[in-house]
Amino acid sequence: MTEAITDTLIKVPQHVAIIMDGNGRWAQQRGKTRVAGHKSGVESVRTSVSTAIKYGVKALTLFAFSSENWQRPEQEVSVLMDLFMFVLTREVKKLHKNDVRFQVIGDVSRFSENLQKKIKVSEDLTANNKGMVLSVAANYGGRWDIANAAKILAGKVSNNTMSVDDITEETLHQYTCLANLPELDLLIRTGGDFRISNFLLWQAAYAEFYFTETLWPDFDEQALINAMGCFDQRERRFGQTGEQIKI
């Protein structure tokens, strides 16, 4: 979608998720290191958060570090961890000031003790905020999320607090990472690839997908407005016919 969308959105997605892709390529195109691209991408995070708040989005979920990203060069992973710590230190107070609730989803046990402590301090600080929920997926994978929920249910069956017959889509959903948030409406991927890379597999069942060639550091306010404008024009049928939803 190339034409710019203005402020006349009718149907605003309540839950937006973004795969923030293209930092490394953005840097390489400018003769910089991949690390420089990740640092530049922080500004796009700030912009996306402020734009989502401005338009009344209830939940924003950002894919920061997948469970597969550990396979990247050791130096890049180390810098990403340092950058995560830096952002937590600098940005969470601003989020708190704007009544944003912050949380990290994923298996944080692999992170350093200092980073785990910083995550907990950040989550505790914003826990009672009533505004938008900002979820950062770190060491997260969609398959892990589903398997973890299944493991919890298996434990309940094992200790006789639940029967096998009680396991439904609804009960499994209760133990996935974003169970307490609105259903995912819009999943955006920047950087030109057309896949969701093991992100929010359960939650994306009926989400609208939006793919853009824009590299993450160039993803500005207008780019997010364009994505939400495209969502605004989609007909969401959820298995019904177009005629049924117009009744």
Side-chain angles (χ1 to χ4, degrees), residues 125-138:
L125 176 66
T126 64
N128 296 320
N129 290 346
K130 305 301 182 185
M132 188 182 77
V133 179
L134 174 63
S135 304
V136 173

Side-chain angles (χ1 to χ4, degrees), residues 15 59 61 101 103 105 133 135 140 145 149 152 169-184 200 202-203:
H15 186 176
T61 302
R101 179 162 68 85
Q103 64 177 2
I105 61 170
V133 179
S135 304
Y140 174 90
D145 195 2
I152 294 171
E169 289 184 20
E170 289 73 21
T171 54
L172 191 147
H173 174 71
Q174 291 174 17
Y175 296 100
T176 56
C177 284
L178 301 177
N180 294 324
L181 299 184
E183 292 285 344
L184 181 61
L200 302 183
W202 178 270
Q203 295 83 356

